[in-house]
Amino acid sequence: SYIKRVNQSMTKIDPLLKTLQVRPSPAEGLVQAYLNLIGDRSDANFKRILELKGVPKKDHSHLLELFSIHRDGAGDLRQQGITHRRGVVV
């Protein structure tokens, strides 16, 4: 029971920790890591990741713009029936 609960918690936090390890430069790498590992499409949540990483606020607008472009592009691929997983379009 305890082990099961710990495993569930780690399964939830593991993508977050992996995303936090990604360098903010190049910016596309951070954005793609967030979309692939966390899979959340929320601007507010992506901004929280930037704050947790300690990315300077002056860089947030550029990263949020890239996030929006990549997020919308990934959505277009899904609508066309193409799955985007771990940086590889299959």
Side-chain angles (χ1 to χ4, degrees), residues 26-71:
E28 289 84 4
L30 176 58
V31 170
Q32 289 177 355
Y34 178 83
L35 289 170
N36 290 333
L37 295 170
I38 296 179
D40 182 58
R41 298 169 58 86
S42 165
D43 286 346
N45 290 339
F46 181 68
K47 191 172 182 179
R48 287 183 189 140
I49 294 292
L50 297 178
E51 291 169 358
L52 284 172
K53 286 186 66 57
V55 174
K57 292 214 183 258
K58 64 181 175 104
D59 298 335
H60 284 205
S61 61
H62 174 67
L63 287 162
L64 284 166
E65 182 180 335
L66 281 174
F67 175 71
S68 176
I69 291 168
H70 284 270
R71 178 192 61 211

Side-chain angles (χ1 to χ4, degrees), residues 4 8 10 12 14-15 20-21 26 38 47 51 53 55 58 63 68 70 72-73 76 83 86 89-90:
K4 183 178 178 181
Q8 287 174 341
M10 289 306 295
K12 291 178 183 178
D14 189 51
L20 291 173
Q21 288 178 330
I38 296 179
K47 191 172 182 179
E51 291 169 358
K53 286 186 66 57
V55 174
K58 64 181 175 104
L63 287 162
S68 176
H70 284 270
D72 296 342
D76 292 343
T83 304
R86 301 208 181 223
V89 177
V90 286

